[in-house]
Amino acid sequence: MTLTYDIVGGDFTRAGHPSSEVKKVLKQLGIDARTIKSIVIALYEAEVNVVAHAYRGKATIMIDDTKITMLLEDEGPGIPDINLAMQEGYSTASKEVRDMGFGAGMGLPNIKKNTDELLIESEVGKGTTVKMVNFFK
Amino acid sequence: MSGLPKYHALKIDEAKCIGCTHCMKSCPTEAIRVINGKAVIDHERCVDCGYCHRSCPTNAFYIEQDDIQKIRNFKYRVVLFPSVMIGQFPEKISENQIYSSLLKIGFTHVFEIEQPIKLLINSIKEYLAAQDTPKPVISTFCPSVVRLIQNRYPALTENLLLRKAPHDLAAHYAIERLKKEGAGEDEIGLFYVTPCSAKIASVKSPVGEKESIVDGVINMNELYNRVMKIIEEGGPEEDTSSQRENLTRDGVLWSLTRGEACHFGSRSMAVDGMHNVIRFLERLEDDQVHGIDFLEMRACDQSCAGGILLTGNRFMTVERLERRAKRYPAAQSINKNQIRVDTAVLQKKLIIERINPKPVYIFGSDRTRAMDKMNKVQRIICFLPGIDCGACGAPNCHALAEDMVNGKAKMSDCVFLQQMWEDEGKIQTGKAYRNLEKKWGIDRFKADCNKRGRRNEGF
Ligand code: SF4
Ligand code: SF4
């Protein structure tokens, strides 16, 4: 099963829509609560990253019997140094974004904590692709 | 811990139901379908919030109660009612008039249930202080919210407060006090006056309990009528203040919004109204709420002042209760001598066992099959028009798709699909029309100028 969502850069008011939809589906599938929580947190953080940094993006969620694969592709400035971005507290978010309570530099580390597989590819000036996989118990 | 079988007091009178979809659309748990022109409640999903009852233009919903004559079977006849009941009466009517009328009806003891509320406050504080208590603690006061969490937010059941509600406190308190006065336990009849269908369900089949301690349930609107009649006929007004000696300001306010929350934790929140509760639980489940110790959640807007069995305006009820509360002392000022029974015995009774989740929205326990159903839902959705009209008998297109994969509905239930099929010559007009009649009842579409459900009805 595949679900797709468009993400608009800069629109924090709508952040969280894909993760709550995905949550509904996973609950109906009877996936255990802890796994769902991790997935929702990771997806939400990844989505907020797109909203905070990119111009626009797309989330593609694929669910099968054993796992969920979440692909977030955005058009944006890209990440120059992914290793640096993975460090807790590191953030390039603008002051406005931080004032809204986002962009504390916990995004990527938090995603890493909550996913089984994480792959980030980025090209400066073009955009970033984040692929996350979580396996069901 | 499963407790007694799930009891529902809320019923639909088929003779009055016109199958109009109002209730189905207002149900926050998608528990109602219209089948053969009549609304039907799925009792697994229903959480007894009463939103359907409120939205019904023909008063087809009713709430089962016990016959008040049942009190005659007991020597000691105790009426237990929440303070909120007093708030409905016009201000010119005194507490003494109301209490005296209840005695005249045949009760021997009149107890407002929120006393001695201090015991419950202390017990909840103790629960909150324990090291291993998962935060935020969610109050178990409103039975609708508890059921909602069991059904739909299974992971949050561990946050549910493991303490009883005031009606249990009062029931045990009444028993202990009467026993002290020499009553035998069999001679005592406890009758609970309920503000809503949810409390009935929780009294008759308490969550986390093995049996109900109450002997009967009386609907608050019924008792309101009886009391009003006695008062209007110039009924008695005796001094009944001795029956309220443990009533406090905090007790009077307990069932109103923030009535509980104001006592607990360094950070607490109160959420009222089912839709607000749902939205907040979603956030909580997503781990987006931090640092809150205690969460009070009530299904009704303005909490129990908005209960479906109350009479009058909920905001006026709140205002009257707030004024009444000012005349009473604070909960903590009540001392042991006043309580008159061994408080340790009561304290012990306030504890309930862990409350188990009962997820009802999952597509079965086999994941491959669930996945299969999910895929089917997604495919069906592509064909449905997304108008969410309810003419199929389900609250929205998505719910219809789910019913289909669960074998409870078919494609032709969608009136728009049928129409399209007719246009494409895939189904005969006569057959399509009969399908509609099957869903909505024969004669449903005949001209009838007295038809119920016309504009402005139900408002
Ligand atoms: S009581 Fe509430 S949950 Fe039950 S059918 Fe009515 S609206 Fe739905
Ligand atoms: S808020 Fe009070 S009246 Fe309303 S459903 Fe809950 S317990 Fe009943």
Side-chain angles (χ1 to χ4, degrees):
Chain A
M1 183 170 77
T2 305
L3 304 161
T4 53
Y5 303 93
D6 288 324
I7 306 169
V8 184
D11 189 358
F12 288 93
T13 58
R14 287 195 53 80
H17 174 66
S19 42
S20 65
E21 292 276 298
V22 168
K23 183 179 74 177
K24 256 185 235 153
V25 170
L26 296 176
K27 277 167 82 174
Q28 279 184 312
L29 289 177
I31 307 297
D32 78 287
R34 247 168 248 293
T35 311
I36 295 185
K37 201 169 185 175
S38 297
I39 294 169
V40 169
I41 293 173
L43 181 56
Y44 180 74
E45 290 287 0
E47 194 198 335
V48 167
N49 269 346
V50 176
V51 175
H53 301 289
Y55 315 126
R56 68 188 67 81
K58 204 174 99 184
T60 311
I61 320 291
M62 288 153 285
I63 304 171
D64 64 33
D65 289 16
T66 57
K67 64 177 185 307
I68 178 168
T69 309
M70 299 171 274
L71 197 65
L72 283 100
E73 299 159 291
D74 72 42
E75 290 168 40
I79 308 171
D81 184 342
I82 293 176
N83 283 333
L84 188 61
M86 291 299 293
Q87 285 167 23
E88 279 188 23
Y90 177 81
S91 174
T92 58
S94 64
K95 186 173 179 306
E96 286 109 301
V97 170
R98 283 163 185 260
D99 285 349
M100 282 190 270
F102 298 98
M106 297 302 289
L108 286 180
N110 210 2
I111 292 176
K112 195 166 165 50
K113 247 185 274 167
N114 285 291
T115 46
D116 297 326
E117 280 174 19
L118 171 64
L119 188 78
I120 304 173
E121 281 169 0
S122 188
E123 200 175 318
V124 175
K126 283 196 107 168
T128 306
T129 301
V130 176
K131 185 182 166 194
M132 306 174 284
V133 182
N134 279 38
F135 295 97
F136 304 145
K137 283 202 197 87
Chain B
M1 174 70 253
S2 53
L4 296 168
K6 204 170 161 191
Y7 177 87
H8 287 281
L10 198 75
K11 303 270 150 75
I12 299 172
D13 182 345
E14 281 219 1
K16 285 188 184 167
C17 174
I18 55 166
C20 66
T21 76
H22 285 233
C23 58
M24 179 175 83
K25 289 271 180 185
S26 68
C27 173
T29 66
E30 295 186 349
I32 299 181
R33 297 292 181 272
V34 180
I35 301 171
N36 298 328
K38 303 283 170 193
V40 178
I41 301 176
D42 174 348
H43 290 299
E44 284 295 308
R45 289 190 175 191
C46 174
V47 296
D48 294 295
C49 67
Y51 275 62
C52 48
H53 181 283
R54 286 190 188 94
S55 71
C56 179
T58 67
N59 254 323
F61 288 82
Y62 64 96
I63 293 165
E64 255 181 7
Q65 60 180 335
D66 290 303
D67 183 359
I68 200 164
Q69 296 310 328
K70 223 176 133 183
I71 68 174
R72 307 277 161 216
N73 301 340
F74 300 90
K75 182 166 170 211
Y76 299 88
R77 305 180 285 273
V78 186
V79 57
L80 302 166
F81 64 92
S83 266
V84 74
M85 179 163 126
I86 302 284
Q88 317 168 81
F89 289 92
E91 238 143 336
K92 59 177 205 289
I93 293 174
S94 72
E95 286 166 4
N96 281 334
Q97 277 179 294
I98 299 167
Y99 272 61
S100 304
S101 305
L102 289 168
L103 293 171
K104 188 154 187 225
I105 286 170
F107 294 105
T108 57
H109 294 77
V110 182
F111 264 102
E112 275 179 65
I113 60 171
E114 292 91 351
Q115 51 179 338
I117 202 74
K118 171 182 166 180
L119 298 184
L120 187 59
I121 295 177
N122 292 347
S123 184
I124 297 176
K125 281 194 173 151
E126 182 190 288
Y127 181 77
L128 275 159
Q131 276 274 304
D132 50 354
T133 300
K135 301 277 168 64
V137 167
I138 305 174
S139 167
T140 38
F141 173 89
C142 176
S144 265
V145 172
V146 175
R147 286 222 164 129
L148 179 76
I149 291 175
Q150 286 182 291
N151 289 359
R152 196 153 144 188
Y153 303 96
L156 296 177
T157 47
E158 60 181 49
N159 295 65
L160 286 168
L161 170 68
L162 300 181
R163 292 295 182 272
K164 285 181 185 161
H167 67 261
D168 294 296
L169 165 71
H172 290 292
Y173 182 45
I175 291 175
E176 292 302 317
R177 271 195 74 160
L178 287 173
K179 280 207 296 208
K180 268 213 142 163
E181 286 175 22
E185 216 158 306
D186 298 346
E187 296 174 311
I188 307 172
L190 300 178
F191 292 84
Y192 173 64
V193 183
T194 185
C196 61
S197 46
K199 284 278 183 196
I200 304 188
S202 88
V203 166
K204 295 245 171 179
S205 49
V207 184
E209 277 296 299
K210 285 187 189 68
E211 59 181 30
S212 171
I213 147 170
V214 166
D215 300 286
V217 176
I218 301 163
N219 291 348
M220 198 178 279
N221 54 357
E222 156 104 14
L223 206 59
Y224 179 83
N225 282 339
R226 285 176 185 258
V227 169
M228 270 311 244
K229 189 150 194 286
I230 293 174
I231 293 174
E232 288 301 323
E233 285 167 356
E237 184 174 8
E238 289 144 29
D239 179 10
T240 53
S241 54
S242 65
Q243 313 233 4
R244 294 185 289 274
E245 60 179 346
N246 286 300
L247 191 64
T248 58
R249 186 189 300 158
D250 303 292
V252 171
L253 296 175
W254 194 262
S255 58
L256 302 183
T257 303
R258 283 210 71 74
E260 266 177 293
C262 66
H263 298 282
F264 307 114
S266 57
R267 287 178 72 188
S268 66
M269 281 180 75
V271 182
D272 61 2
M274 202 58 168
H275 298 279
N276 296 328
V277 167
I278 288 175
R279 246 172 262 147
F280 201 84
L281 289 174
E282 290 286 336
R283 287 194 157 241
L284 195 60
E285 193 183 47
D286 294 350
D287 208 18
Q288 288 180 32
V289 180
H290 301 279
I292 302 292
D293 300 311
F294 186 86
L295 254 180
E296 168 196 306
M297 299 195 129
R298 313 268 176 84
C300 299
D301 179 15
Q302 298 300 312
S303 296
C304 299
I308 52 172
L309 293 172
L310 266 83
T311 307
N313 180 279
R314 62 188 67 179
F315 299 100
M316 285 166 75
T317 302
V318 171
E319 199 270 343
R320 286 189 201 122
L321 287 169
E322 281 172 347
R323 297 222 313 191
R324 179 177 186 227
K326 291 199 182 110
R327 290 192 278 115
Y328 285 89
Q332 297 298 344
S333 69
I334 301 289
N335 62 41
K336 266 209 156 98
N337 306 337
Q338 242 167 308
I339 297 176
R340 291 166 203 262
V341 302
D342 184 357
T343 52
V345 174
L346 289 177
Q347 292 281 15
K348 243 186 257 144
K349 304 241 185 227
L350 292 177
I351 298 168
I352 49 176
E353 288 178 45
R354 204 153 273 300
I355 298 168
N356 283 338
K358 286 189 192 146
V360 297
Y361 294 92
I362 60 172
F363 282 141
S365 51
D366 180 285
R367 191 177 307 142
T368 315
R369 288 197 52 199
M371 194 69 219
D372 213 44
K373 284 188 177 178
M374 200 53 147
N375 279 324
K376 271 194 199 139
V377 169
Q378 299 297 331
R379 250 179 292 133
I380 293 170
I381 283 290
C382 305
F383 294 96
L384 299 177
I387 295 173
D388 293 338
C389 62
C392 55
N396 52 60
C397 299
H398 201 275
L400 179 71
E402 288 179 3
D403 286 356
M404 282 188 211
V405 303
N406 285 324
K408 292 179 181 160
K410 12 186 222 339
M411 274 293 199
S412 59
D413 286 332
C414 173
V415 293
F416 298 97
L417 274 189
Q418 271 220 132
Q419 190 77 37
M420 206 172 77
W421 290 345
E422 266 184 80
D423 184 48
E424 292 170 355
K426 286 185 186 152
I427 183 173
Q428 280 184 341
T429 309
K431 173 121 182 31
Y433 185 71
R434 273 188 297 283
N435 275 344
L436 280 185
E437 277 189 332
K438 237 191 251 165
K439 190 101 236 166
W440 295 100
I442 293 179
D443 294 344
R444 180 65 189 254
F445 310 111
K446 283 206 180 127
D448 173 6
C449 299
N450 295 317
K451 196 170 271 170
R452 301 301 304 263
R454 286 183 301 183
R455 197 161 167 251
N456 298 337
E457 259 188 68
F459 293 101

